[in-house]
Amino acid sequence: MTKDGKLELMAPAGNFESLQAALDNGADSVYFGVEQLNMRARASINFTMDDLPEISKRCKELGVRTYLTLNTIIYDHDLSVIKTLIDKAKVADITAVIAMDQAVIAYARQVGMEVHISTQINVTNIETVRFYAMFADTIVLSRELSLSQVKKITEQIKKENICGPSGNLVEIEIFGHGALCMAVSGKCYLSLHSHNSSANRGACKQNCRKKYTVIDQESGFEIELDNEYMMSPKDLCTIDFLDEIVDAGIKVLKIEGRGRAPEYVATVIRSYREAIDAIADGSFSKEKTDYWMTLLQTVYNRGFWNGYYLGQKLGEWSPANGSMATQKKVYIGKGKHFYPKTNIGQFTIEAYDLKVGDKILITGPTTGAKEATVSSMMVEDLLSDLAKKGDDITIPIDFRIRPSDKLYKLVKTEFAEA
């Protein structure tokens, strides 16, 4: 929970672009992986140990908490790396370690680092909460619990005064938005069996996201499961009942997406930030949730459902392979220079055309992910409505851009309403 008593909004960061996008859009905390010992070892670029001081610095300047994910299965040969990583996180003043293996939990506690219990442990009852409270101040509950089950646990924590090592009441965290796995809280072995690539070591090959044909082995009769990816759930979305989540006593809301692009992080965090603030000031409404849902649909998603929180027992399956976002980005160029006195950005167009009125996205390790609309444009120092590949352009922009930044055009997809 934040200092002002609001639900803590926890953002994913797969790289510096996404980290900055989270910070710019109101995250209270960020979680990230370093090297390969986390559940997104292959899905995102991941940071290195040398990045820890910079991550800590950027976040501390804004009062944002930092959580290092070390939540994979750990083998003996990993132990020295784990200890080195936790030691470096401690020196960099990273806030906490998210863990599921007892070796990680024990060593983090030994060196005095705050521990959060990962959803991979599958905490589903108050007695398990009581046990892990000996080691952790925050516990992520199993994804399969209903909101009423979660509320019962948070009420018992308060009633029985169950505190973590800090001496404060244990805080409960749940998943709030993003990809859901068909397996129980992420424990899946399909990828290991098919590709010798363990999902529990952060190397999932996402077998469940594919379309399958069922074959009767006696007769050879085949059934194609029409328009339904039978093991690929829609993405979780809780923004339309976020007030019920707050009422259930949950303290931390985690947004999934360390493998997603920075504009995904920016849009999702901005939407949930506005929703949490609206609940706090009493302006939360269906009209606003409808608007936020429209925004959330513009970035990567497999369609949305509310998970198991409202009592549903079976998943809702995605009807498509990949994203159902209503808009996509198309790379068109890179940043060249920024003129701060006039708020003008200079870019080189390397692919496709750009017109006045187009929506653009600019991303970069320091810039994060920022959207704008081209209101006017100079092409080779002449006023123009159109720029083509090879052109050097300048456009008015109300934020600083850098030579390392990438320029994209945002275009509607087939999933956008006509």
Side-chain angles (χ1 to χ4, degrees), residues 173-276:
E173 174 188 321
I174 67 168
F175 277 67
H177 190 94
L180 278 179
C181 177
M182 66 154 194
V184 176
S185 279
K187 289 191 175 71
C188 182
Y189 296 93
L190 281 178
S191 183
L192 181 64
H193 290 319
S194 64
H195 296 88
N196 196 30
S197 186
S198 176
N200 302 299
R201 295 273 289 173
C204 180
K205 293 288 190 179
Q206 298 203 330
N207 302 50
C208 62
R209 305 301 183 187
K210 299 174 183 177
K211 201 169 185 177
Y212 287 88
T213 298
V214 178
I215 302 175
D216 181 336
Q217 292 193 357
E218 289 186 6
S219 66
F221 179 70
E222 295 186 4
I223 301 174
E224 183 175 321
L225 299 168
D226 185 40
N227 198 36
E228 192 163 285
Y229 289 74
M230 61 177 291
M231 294 186 290
S232 180
K234 292 180 180 178
D235 285 358
L236 174 66
C237 180
T238 63
I239 204 162
D240 57 340
F241 60 98
L242 199 59
D243 52 341
E244 295 181 52
I245 286 175
V246 172
D247 182 63
I250 292 147
K251 305 301 182 185
V252 185
L253 189 78
K254 176 181 180 179
I255 306 301
E256 187 276 337
R258 276 181 293 145
R260 301 275 171 92
E263 67 271 15
Y264 172 91
V265 176
T267 299
V268 176
I269 294 302
R270 183 168 66 251
S271 299
Y272 277 85
R273 174 78 275 151
E274 291 177 4
I276 291 169

Side-chain angles (χ1 to χ4, degrees), residues 369-412:
K370 293 192 167 62
E371 295 182 15
T373 300
V374 180
S375 58
S376 63
M377 179 166 52
M378 300 282 285
V379 178
E380 308 297 345
D381 295 326
L382 295 174
L383 198 62
S384 177
D385 290 332
L386 176 68
K388 294 182 175 292
K389 180 179 177 181
D391 286 343
D392 206 55
I393 69 165
T394 53
I395 57 175
I397 206 117
D398 61 359
F399 51 87
R400 185 179 188 86
I401 64 109
R402 297 159 179 87
S404 59
D405 289 351
K406 295 176 182 177
L407 173 66
Y408 299 90
K409 181 162 63 174
L410 295 173
V411 297
K412 289 185 177 181

Side-chain angles (χ1 to χ4, degrees), residues 2 13 41 64 72 78 93 97 117 133 138 140-141 146 151 159 198 203 227 231 254 302-303 338 359 364 366 382:
T2 60
V64 171
T72 59
D78 299 320
D93 203 20
V97 171
I117 297 300
T138 300
V140 190
L141 296 184
S146 68
K151 187 173 184 178
K159 181 180 178 181
S198 176
N227 198 36
M231 294 186 290
K254 176 181 180 179
R302 298 182 180 92
F338 181 71
K359 285 180 66 177
T366 306
L382 295 174

Side-chain angles (χ1 to χ4, degrees), residues 246-381:
V246 172
D247 182 63
I250 292 147
K251 305 301 182 185
V252 185
L253 189 78
K254 176 181 180 179
I255 306 301
E256 187 276 337
R258 276 181 293 145
R260 301 275 171 92
E263 67 271 15
Y264 172 91
V265 176
T267 299
V268 176
I269 294 302
R270 183 168 66 251
S271 299
Y272 277 85
R273 174 78 275 151
E274 291 177 4
I276 291 169
D277 292 345
I279 292 168
D281 67 23
S283 65
F284 189 79
S285 66
K286 186 180 186 306
E287 183 181 23
K288 285 188 174 182
T289 59
D290 288 346
Y291 167 70
W292 293 319
M293 285 295 293
T294 301
L295 285 182
L296 294 170
Q297 288 166 353
T298 65
V299 290
Y300 192 106
N301 70 87
R302 298 182 180 92
F304 294 125
W305 73 304
N306 55 43
Y308 302 97
Y309 293 131
L310 301 182
Q312 190 166 341
K313 298 300 182 186
L314 296 174
E316 290 188 18
W317 310 115
S318 175
N321 180 18
S323 179
M324 295 175 64
T326 57
Q327 71 179 18
K328 66 179 180 179
K329 63 182 182 184
V330 178
Y331 177 79
I332 58 171
K334 62 185 179 183
K336 193 171 181 180
H337 189 70
F338 181 71
Y339 300 90
K341 290 184 179 179
T342 53
N343 282 345
I344 296 292
Q346 184 177 6
F347 299 87
T348 299
I349 303 298
E350 296 183 331
Y352 301 104
D353 297 342
L354 182 67
K355 305 190 301 293
V356 170
D358 284 344
K359 285 180 66 177
I360 56 173
L361 168 71
I362 300 165
T363 69
T366 306
T367 304
K370 293 192 167 62
E371 295 182 15
T373 300
V374 180
S375 58
S376 63
M377 179 166 52
M378 300 282 285
V379 178
E380 308 297 345
D381 295 326

Side-chain angles (χ1 to χ4, degrees), residues 11 16 67 114 122 137 139 159 221 335 341 371 402:
F16 277 113
Y67 306 141
E114 182 180 327
N122 271 121
D137 289 294
I139 295 175
K159 181 180 178 181
F221 179 70
K341 290 184 179 179
E371 295 182 15
R402 297 159 179 87

